[in-house]
Amino acid sequence: MEQYEKQLLAAVRAFLRREAMLSVMAQVRAADAFTRRYAALEQAGLTPLVVKGAVCRGLYPKPDLRPSADEDLLAPPGQARNIAALLERAGMTVENPDAEQVIACRDGASGLYLEVHGTLFPASSEAYGSWNRFFNGAFDRRVFWKEAGVWTLCPQDHLLYLILHSLKHFLHSGFGVRQVCDICLFTAAYGGEVDWPALTAALDQVHGRLFYANLLAMGREHLGISGYPEQAEAWLAGMDTDCGDLLADLLSGGVYGGNTEQRKHSSRITLSAVTGEGRTGPGRLLRTLFPRGRDLTGTYPWLKGRPWLTPAAWAVRLLRYGRRSSGSDARESVSIGERRVALLKKYGVIP
């Protein structure tokens, strides 16, 4: 039996080593393609800002071990379609050229996936569309990130964006450990350049102060991240943190926070709680099964401008959900949603 366990353990290690090597190789190919594409944009006089991926990878001792599912570009006003057009001429496939918020571009040869954003957050979102106001003038404050060779948000804007991006995911189905590492490492590296009163004021406007404090606590207590600058340590010392429940939610949600259909569907409840539309009992179940048409346009673009097609979207959604799920999964979504609403309350996101 002991010999069998050793063989099994060796096989698992070999499998994980092989998967890790494949992931690194894929990341190297995509990163090289991204560098070339970004250089081409600069040469054409287009000046998008790189956010998250390429910048955050530089925070890690071995950057290629921090994979990116995609690279995100924030386009200056009026440049998004020009950027997508140049990427298409360079051999990338533009998957949704008529999109208003995010234009997706893919390079089949290298595996590079790029998203060109008109704004950092969907302006139509009731829950977080207004957060774009924090980044007015971001292009005037931009900095050149020598480690990655790209233009990006200044440290103040970038740290706030990383926090708000994770908070947005927290309002949906959750977020992953990689986002926590990014935020904590960024704080350790650049927190000394941050205007902490200004950051605190912005976080207070979105009820995110306690959320961020618990992410920093999680990094230090559970992820082995240290070296926060004095300003960050002083700020954190004034907060009453208890990150255990937040860590449990993070671990149960998988890499991106939405590892099950039930968890994804539960976001209807958490978002309703944030926008003041929370209901109880049967009302929450109905909202989970039959969300508003405007909340479904991201999944079903053909709904845009056609609210009368909302019942058709409900039907398609229920058919897809039914094929993957058992009859009790809608109630499981409600149960997950209610537990996550309790988390939003615990960490001060909603009263």
Side-chain angles (χ1 to χ4, degrees), residues 44-120:
L46 298 172
T47 56
L49 302 185
V50 178
V51 295
K52 297 188 302 175
V55 173
C56 289
R57 280 199 302 277
L59 301 169
Y60 292 75
K62 296 181 179 180
D64 290 328
L65 294 181
R66 190 274 191 197
S68 293
D70 56 33
E71 299 293 345
D72 295 285
L73 301 177
L74 175 63
Q79 283 195 17
R81 297 192 188 284
N82 292 337
I83 291 170
L86 188 147
L87 292 172
E88 188 171 33
R89 291 196 297 273
M92 298 191 75
T93 300
V94 179
E95 298 184 344
N96 55 344
D98 297 325
E100 294 183 3
Q101 172 60 30
V102 181
I103 302 177
C105 307
R106 189 181 299 275
D107 180 3
S110 67
L112 174 65
Y113 182 72
L114 273 173
E115 290 188 341
V116 183
H117 296 253
T119 56
L120 289 172

Side-chain angles (χ1 to χ4, degrees), residues 246-300:
L246 191 61
L247 177 63
D249 182 67
L250 178 151
L251 294 176
S252 68
V255 176
Y256 300 106
N259 61 336
T260 66
E261 289 299 311
Q262 297 94 322
R263 193 173 175 98
K264 291 177 183 177
H265 285 259
S266 73
S267 66
R268 302 296 173 192
I269 294 172
T270 50
L271 288 173
S272 293
V274 171
T275 58
E277 300 175 353
R279 301 178 181 181
T280 59
R284 283 188 176 172
L285 179 58
L286 289 173
R287 175 53 60 88
T288 302
L289 293 173
F290 304 105
R292 296 168 303 185
R294 65 187 182 189
D295 294 331
L296 293 173
T297 54
T299 306
Y300 307 108

Side-chain angles (χ1 to χ4, degrees), residues 124-139:
S124 60
S125 170
E126 290 183 60
Y128 41 76
S130 63
W131 296 358
N132 289 306
R133 70 185 185 275
F134 296 118
F135 305 97
N136 292 336
F139 284 91

